[in-house]
Amino acid sequence: MRLPTFSLLLSSAALAHTPPFPATTIDSSPNPIGTLYPDSVTGTINGTIAVVPIPYALARELVPAQYGILRKAYRDALPGFPRDMYPLIVRSILDHDVGMNGIQLIPDFQSVHIFYPFIDLLADNSSSFAYGKYLVLTSTNAAAIAGSQAYGQLAVPASFSPENNAYAFSSRKRRDEIFLNAYTNASTTPVVTTRFTPLPAVGPWPLEFYVNITNQPIFADGVKCDQQVTFFNTSLSTGANAPVGLIGDISISAPYLIEDRTFRNVFGVKVDVAFLERNFLECESLRGL
C-alpha cells in the first residue's frame, strides 16, 4: 500500500475539518489489529493473489538489469514450478480501515499490483525483495497516490469494476466465479482483468509461498523500501475465513507488461489479511528478511 506517515498525518488533520467518509457498501471486515499497534499504520487487505508463470528470460527483461533474481529461493518455495519460468505476482485488492490506533485516516481504495518477488536488491544472494514499477490504484485517493510516488513507483490513476470491493460475482447464476476489471483514466477497456473460480483447497502452490511474497519488502527506485507485514493468523484469515484456492485467467495490457497478454489457468488464493506497515526504511536495514 505504501502510505507514508506524513500522508496519514495530513489525512488526520483534514478529518478535523471534514465530515465522515461517504457511506459505501464494502464487503470487508474491520481492522482487528489497529489498537494492538497504536503507533503504526495498520489496516486490512482483501482480495486475490495470483502466481503467473512467465519465461525467466521475460522476467529478466522486466526487472532492471542491476538487480539479480534469487532463482533458488523461489524454486525452493514452489515445488514443482515449471523450470525456466518465473513467478510474476498479480494482486488485486481493497485496502480497508487504514489508519493508526484504531482510527481510520484515509478512505478505502482499490489497487492492482503487478510485482516481481525474490529480487536480490542488496546483492547478498539471500535477502528477498519485491520490485514493483507500476501501481494501478483508485484515482480519487490522493494519499495513496502520493505514497506510491514517494517510492519512485509510477502510480496509475484508475477506476474499478466492481467499485469499492476486491472482487464481485460474475452473475447471480454464477456465484462461483469472481472478477475484477481495472480501467485507467485514459482507457475505455480494462487494462487488467481477472476471472477466478474456487478450488477445493489451496494449491498447487503452498500457502506459505503467499505468506512469503506478501511479506517481502517492496521497492521501486531502490532508494527507500516499504515493509508491509501481513498477518495470516487473525480472524480475517482463519476458520471460516481461511484462504480459498483459485484458478482462472488474467489479462494485462502494455505497458504493464511488454505487450498485451492473457494468462489462462493460473493458480492463486482469495484471502483477507491484516497488515502493519513501516514506511521509508533504509533498504539495507532489511537485510536478511
Side-chain angles (χ1 to χ4, degrees):
M1 182 195 60
R2 305 168 188 79
L3 285 180
T5 302
F6 73 81
S7 291
L8 287 171
L9 292 175
L10 288 174
S11 298
S12 180
L15 281 178
H17 305 286
T18 58
F21 305 132
T24 187
T25 302
I26 295 175
D27 188 19
S28 283
S29 299
N31 176 3
I33 66 169
T35 57
L36 299 179
Y37 302 93
D39 298 324
S40 298
V41 177
T42 64
T44 76
I45 296 176
N46 191 9
T48 61
I49 312 167
V51 182
V52 180
I54 63 172
Y56 178 82
L58 175 59
R60 196 57 279 179
E61 288 185 60
L62 294 165
V63 174
Q66 66 265 36
Y67 305 128
I69 298 177
L70 298 170
R71 300 183 77 174
K72 183 178 185 304
Y74 71 74
R75 286 174 177 168
D76 289 347
L78 287 171
F81 195 73
R83 191 167 182 82
D84 297 325
M85 302 295 276
Y86 170 86
L88 173 71
I89 304 300
V90 179
R91 192 178 188 190
S92 304
I93 57 176
L94 174 78
D95 279 68
H96 175 61
D97 208 3
V98 178
M100 298 179 73
N101 197 23
I103 300 173
Q104 184 177 0
L105 295 179
I106 66 167
D108 294 354
F109 65 95
Q110 294 168 267
S111 58
V112 175
H113 302 241
I114 302 168
F115 68 92
Y116 304 82
F118 300 99
I119 302 303
D120 191 8
L121 172 64
L122 301 180
D124 64 359
N125 201 36
S126 175
S127 307
S128 291
F129 289 74
Y131 168 72
K133 180 178 181 179
Y134 296 99
L135 182 59
V136 180
L137 76 170
T138 301
S139 62
T140 55
N141 197 307
I145 291 173
S148 175
Q149 292 172 332
Y151 287 94
Q153 281 192 312
L154 298 178
V156 183
S159 59
F160 298 84
S161 176
E163 186 178 8
N164 294 329
N165 278 294
Y167 48 81
F169 295 106
S170 294
S171 69
R172 291 181 180 178
K173 293 182 178 179
R174 293 209 60 185
R175 291 188 64 82
D176 58 336
E177 182 181 82
I178 59 174
F179 79 95
L180 181 128
N181 296 334
Y183 302 80
T184 69
N185 287 0
S187 69
T188 56
T189 57
V191 295
V192 179
T193 67
T194 67
R195 295 286 186 280
F196 294 112
T197 55
L199 294 170
V202 174
W205 319 130
L207 181 61
E208 291 76 15
F209 175 79
Y210 299 97
V211 177
N212 182 328
I213 59 170
T214 56
N215 280 278
Q216 291 183 15
I218 304 161
F219 77 99
D221 60 14
V223 176
K224 295 289 185 179
C225 283
D226 175 75
Q227 185 186 25
Q228 192 173 86
V229 181
T230 57
F231 298 88
F232 282 70
N233 60 353
T234 75
S235 58
L236 298 177
S237 318
T238 56
N241 298 321
V244 174
L246 300 173
I247 186 171
D249 303 335
I250 295 176
S251 295
I252 303 172
S253 298
Y256 313 111
L257 290 179
I258 292 175
E259 60 183 6
D260 296 358
R261 291 286 303 272
T262 295
F263 303 93
R264 302 198 182 280
N265 297 319
V266 300
F267 296 101
V269 294
K270 174 170 68 73
V271 65
D272 194 359
V273 296
F275 73 88
L276 178 153
E277 191 153 21
R278 300 185 177 106
N279 297 286
F280 286 107
L281 300 179
E282 296 294 334
C283 298
E284 176 65 33
S285 71
L286 299 168
R287 183 182 295 272
L289 293 182

